[in-house]
Each structure stands twice: as C-alpha cells, then as structure tokens.
Amino acid sequence: MNETTETTKNQRSAGILLPLFSLPSAHGAGCFSAEAYGFIDRLAQAGQRFWQILPIGPAGLADSPYQPLSSFAFDPLYIDLSRLAAEGLLHEDELHAMPWGTDPARIDYAAVRGGRAHLLPLAFQRYQRDPWIGRFEEENAAWLEDYALFMALRDHFGPAIPWCAWPAAIRDRQPEAMAHWRQTLSDEIAFHRWTQYECSREWEGIHGYAKEKGIAIIGDLPFYVSYDSADCWAHPDLFLLDDQRRPSRVAGVPPDAFSACGQLWGNPVYDWEALADTDYAWWTARVHRLASHFDVLRIDHFRGLAAFYSCPSDAEDACGGTWTTGPGLPFLARMQQEAGSTRFIAEDLGFLTPDVHRLRRDAGIPGLKVLQFAFDGDSSNAYLPHNYDSDCVVYTGTHDNNTSRGWFRTCGSTERSQFCRYAAITADREEAAAPAMIRLAQGSVAKTCIIPMQDYLNLDENARCNTPSTIEGNWCWRMLPGACTESLAAEIRKITALYGRL
C-alpha cells in the first residue's frame, strides 16, 4: 500500500470533486493539460488529500461519462493538444483555426469533438512510431484490439448506426469478417491504438505528479456499460441479449420521490451466471486496469451488487420493472482482491434496502452521505450529520445534485427552514448556503469530506453538472480560468485545518 493511501485510510481528510472536463482549457474542455497540474498544485496548497473525478472513458450517448463506449479506454477528448503542438505533431495556427466554443463556462461538445476529429488524425500522420507504443499495445492487447476495431467500424458505418445494425457477419464477429475489416481499416485501427497510447502516457504523468504532491485521485467505476460499446460487441455472452444481439432487458431504477416514472437508463443487463462461470474475468480485468489509474475507486450504483432493477427492452418507462438478486459479497471480495491497494467507496444512494447496507458493511467499504438529502424535517434522517458514524464519505452534493446555492434557491420551504435552523443561517441569504453546507460537512464525524468545486466557488444552479432523467445540457459546466485562486486555496485550507482534516 502506498504512503498516500495508507495515510488517508487512517485519518480525517478532505478533497474536492471536479470532473476533468470541467477544468479550464484553451481548447473547449478540460483535458490532460497544464491546467490539471495547476489544479493539483492548488489542492496541495489547500491542504486537500483527494481529487475526485468522474469516469474518463470515451463518452457515448449525450456525452455522458456513464454511457462509455469502452470500459477500458480513455476518451481522446482528454489528449492535450498543446503537448502535441510542443512535440511538433500539430501547429499552433491549426489549433487557433478551430472553433472551440464561445462560452468559457460551458462545453460545446460538437465544436470540441469536431475540432479533435480534424486535428488528432493530422497529429497521427506526423507521428513517428516510438518503441514504447509497441510495449503498450502488447500489454493492453486484450482490450485494445477490440476497442480499436470497434471504433474504426463505428467511424466507417457512422456513429448513429449501433453495432447490432452492422452487417451480420461483423456484428457477430465471424472470423472471416474480422480478418477482412482488420485489413480494410488497418490505418484507422492504428490511429485508435495511438490515441489510447497518448492518453495513457499523459495520464501517467498527471497521476504521478499528484502522488508527488500527496494527492490521491478518486476514480469512478460505472456499474453498467453502454449497449453501443466495444464491451458489449466483443463480449455479447456476458449480457442478456436476444438472438439479434439486442438487449432483452435494460437497466434503470423504479419510481421514487425524484421521478414518478423511475429512470430507464437503457444499459444492457449483465448475465451474472455467465460472468461467474469465467470467475468474473471481464470484471477483474476492468478493475485491474482502473486500479492502476487511481488510488480509490467509487463504485457507481453500488446497490446493483445486492439487487438490480431491470425492465423489458421495449418498456416506455421504468414503472414495470423487476428486482433480481445481484452477485453480492463473493463478487465484491474478488474485485477487492484484484484492486490490491486501491480502495473502494460505495455510491450507496437511491432506493436502499437492508441487503445493500449489509453488503457494504460486510465488505468493509465506506458509503456516501449527501447533505442535500438531509433536511426533510425528520431528525432521524440518515443524512443528517448527527446520525453519521465515522466510516463514511460526506458530500454537500454529488455530480447528480444541484450546487448547494442552487439547491437553496429551489428547494421546498420545509427543507429550507430545516436547513437554516440546523446550520444557523438566515433564510434570505442564499450566498450563505454553500459555506454553511461546507461547514456542516467539514465538521461532521465522517472520516472523509468531499466538496464539489462549484460549492467552494459559491456558484448557483447554472453550474450544475448533471440533472438525472434528462439528456440535454448535462456534463457541460467548466470552471472559469483563474477561478481557483491562491486566496481561495488559502480559505479552503483554513476550514480544512479548523476541522482537523489537513
């Protein structure tokens, strides 16, 4: 176990949640650039122990990081174009010629991905193969070959055409078709291998720098994969698909207080019996790779390991779904074994039942407490700080929540009144909401406290990252250049020290 992980395991600590894509950048979205190194410096100045990010795999539907095109690959959106220019693979005038978007506080994904679709192939054409890429390709062949071919085919047939609609021979991965397309698209396949090599070496630099500064990075393990993904195409036997390779059932969550019709995510459901027959080989490979990139892994939708909710693939909403027992503790213990020194935290939010709490406790994994869920007027509410035990991670809100200031402006009168009494603030001062939330989180007994960057910046609902059950307008927020100042880092350090979390 490395020194950073050992230290953070045994003492009170704090960190900041900021997606990589939300970093400032000259090229439309945050990436593996100088701004990432600068943010790590700020975290160290602020006395933080953790940087939590969202999944950094290639985003699929609606640019969601939770609909990845691969569970193993990086999103080429994160390649640092300035680094490519410094290495002579791109020219500065080529970078400046691209329309990266007009609002520095929002990502224009069409512009960002369009610009990279033009520039990255140019850089690859100028790239002189170095000896390290061969080693990378060899070490990652188990997933890289399928991913590179999948992406080349997706480019060829068009991203609007799901793999199930490809010609049957390549849809079904018949050997003759696989050989044909590998030869036909050999240049395109080589390009996609190179993007992953470039991402990998850039991320290794960032992760290594964070370790030098004493910062542990919390990565994210999405529970499901996108149907239109290299994973599902390459391993259809691991999912519940019909004879046309289409999902027979899809994932979601049932109706609740936040959604009258529930949430129909559309992800294919795992065939857990088939996975168990392989000793969960695909999952262990996935966890092994992520554990090499991060110091802590957040297990998204943890409750799906106890029992998961699914609906028929033709359902219009999530009202008619059913619960099925998940893989449980034997699976989780296998994943912990594979992760080695990389620890887990459990996203145990949503519809929780005793089996979910029991699984988390038996596995020895801390769960999440979200302050925005606390103020319903019930003093026994599990999200109120006086009801915590120490083995948890407290947040003011997560990427799925409003900002704390935005929450205060839009929550009901009961919640607002209860929050104001609990936090001892005046109801008509919305600018006081986020600082009060931060104090409650930092001062709680939770061993770890993670605050979204938007709350330290005291931003309103316009800085919200994601609104569940919606598609448009998510994953777009960007921190403005210069917003995370030395003076802000000093203020964060003061409150972190005040509550014994330095």
Side-chain angles (χ1 to χ4, degrees):
M1 183 176 292
N2 64 56
E3 182 179 351
T4 298
T5 305
E6 181 64 40
T7 302
T8 56
K9 181 179 178 181
N10 296 309
Q11 69 181 45
R12 285 169 63 81
S13 55
I16 292 176
L17 168 59
L18 180 71
L20 262 163
F21 57 71
S22 293
L23 286 167
S25 166
H27 306 123
C31 59
F32 300 151
S33 62
E35 289 82 359
Y37 289 87
F39 186 67
I40 290 169
D41 289 337
R42 286 287 188 261
L43 288 168
Q45 292 168 4
Q48 303 302 285
R49 192 76 66 175
F50 295 105
W51 178 13
Q52 181 172 339
I53 62 175
L54 299 188
I56 52 178
L61 179 66
D63 297 295
S64 171
Y66 294 95
Q67 293 283 351
L69 298 174
S70 168
S71 295
F72 294 82
F74 288 99
D75 195 327
L77 176 145
Y78 294 114
I79 291 175
D80 180 10
L81 300 179
S82 294
R83 175 172 174 162
L84 297 183
E87 294 174 352
L89 300 181
L90 292 174
H91 305 145
E92 288 294 340
D93 59 338
E94 293 171 336
L95 300 185
H96 294 316
M98 292 293 103
W100 298 111
T102 58
D103 185 351
R106 306 289 292 176
I107 299 171
D108 181 340
Y109 279 104
V112 170
R113 294 199 183 278
R116 287 169 179 273
H118 175 74
L119 293 173
L120 290 178
L122 280 181
F124 177 63
Q125 289 172 14
R126 298 162 182 163
Y127 165 71
Q128 298 295 315
R129 186 178 174 89
D130 67 69
W132 294 106
I133 192 171
R135 179 178 177 182
F136 170 81
E137 291 171 339
E138 181 179 347
E139 291 176 348
N140 294 277
W143 65 268
L144 182 61
E145 292 306 305
D146 283 324
Y147 166 78
L149 177 56
F150 175 83
M151 294 302 293
L153 288 164
R154 193 170 185 267
D155 293 341
H156 176 78
F157 291 115
I161 307 297
W163 65 266
C164 64
W166 294 348
I170 191 62
R171 178 199 69 185
D172 297 340
R173 297 172 59 86
Q174 294 176 10
E176 297 83 359
M178 294 285 282
H180 167 76
W181 286 109
R182 284 188 179 122
Q183 181 177 7
T184 302
L185 300 176
S186 59
D187 291 342
E188 292 84 353
I189 290 168
F191 165 71
H192 287 292
R193 288 198 203 103
W194 170 77
T195 65
Q196 293 308 301
Y197 170 64
E198 185 62 33
C199 283
S200 182
R201 71 188 188 113
E202 290 186 15
W203 176 251
E204 286 177 5
I206 290 171
H207 192 198
Y209 187 74
K211 287 184 177 181
E212 291 175 10
K213 294 291 185 176
I215 306 298
I217 298 182
I218 302 175
D220 203 304
L221 173 59
F223 185 73
Y224 288 113
V225 303
S226 171
Y227 170 64
D228 194 23
S229 67
D231 307 289
C232 206
W233 173 65
H235 304 283
D237 52 315
L238 303 183
F239 302 88
L240 296 181
L241 307 180
D242 63 21
D243 56 3
Q244 297 299 310
R245 304 291 175 96
R246 297 177 183 272
S248 56
R249 298 191 70 81
V250 294
V253 291
D256 57 21
F258 301 99
S259 178
C261 296
Q263 297 178 39
L264 197 62
W265 297 332
N267 305 79
V269 174
Y270 296 111
D271 184 338
W272 284 109
E273 290 185 6
L275 281 160
D277 289 342
T278 68
D279 193 27
Y280 306 108
W282 178 84
W283 265 97
T284 55
R286 183 188 189 195
V287 167
H288 180 82
R289 178 161 171 77
L290 290 176
S292 71
H293 293 324
F294 306 111
D295 306 291
V296 181
L297 279 175
R298 170 191 177 273
I299 305 176
D300 179 57
H301 194 55
F302 180 83
R303 79 132 303 117
L305 296 178
F308 59 91
Y309 189 81
S310 68
C311 302
S313 58
D314 60 355
E316 294 183 359
D317 58 40
C319 291
T322 57
W323 288 99
T324 304
T325 301
L329 189 60
F331 166 80
L332 194 51
R334 181 73 183 87
M335 297 308 106
Q336 288 175 301
Q337 178 187 24
E338 191 64 34
S341 63
T342 299
R343 296 180 291 115
F344 291 122
I345 58 177
E347 189 268 302
D348 55 343
L349 304 174
F351 179 73
L352 301 183
T353 48
D355 57 336
V356 181
H357 298 300
R358 184 168 56 251
L359 175 61
R360 185 187 61 74
R361 288 195 301 268
D362 289 348
I365 299 175
L368 273 54
K369 301 294 183 184
V370 179
L371 280 171
Q372 288 185 25
F373 297 156
F375 304 104
D376 60 0
D378 181 358
S379 63
S380 65
N381 185 306
Y383 298 106
L384 284 168
H386 67 259
N387 293 319
Y388 298 174
D389 59 35
S390 63
D391 193 25
C392 66
V393 184
V394 62
Y395 296 76
T396 52
T398 73
H399 64 275
D400 283 333
N401 292 95
N402 204 337
T403 67
S404 289
R405 184 168 185 160
W407 171 84
F408 185 85
R409 292 176 62 172
T410 58
C411 69
S413 58
T414 297
E415 289 177 288
R416 181 179 298 184
S417 175
Q418 172 73 0
F419 168 66
C420 290
R421 291 198 303 272
Y422 198 91
I425 67 169
T426 304
D428 60 357
R429 295 185 58 225
E430 71 173 54
E431 69 275 11
M437 278 279 201
I438 291 168
R439 287 194 299 274
L440 289 176
Q442 286 267 19
S444 74
V445 298
K447 189 177 294 182
T448 305
C449 168
I450 305 290
I451 306 295
M453 192 66 211
Q454 296 97 312
D455 282 356
Y456 277 128
L457 295 171
N458 207 350
L459 300 177
D460 64 17
E461 60 272 17
N462 291 311
R464 182 169 186 162
C465 185
N466 176 53
T467 303
S469 298
T470 67
I471 293 179
E472 300 297 329
N474 295 317
W475 322 112
C476 295
W477 175 73
R478 298 175 68 197
M479 181 169 65
L480 291 173
C484 189
T485 61
E486 285 193 31
S487 61
L488 177 58
E491 290 301 314
I492 295 171
R493 187 180 185 91
K494 286 179 184 177
I495 193 169
T496 304
L498 179 64
Y499 292 111
R501 296 186 180 276
L502 280 184

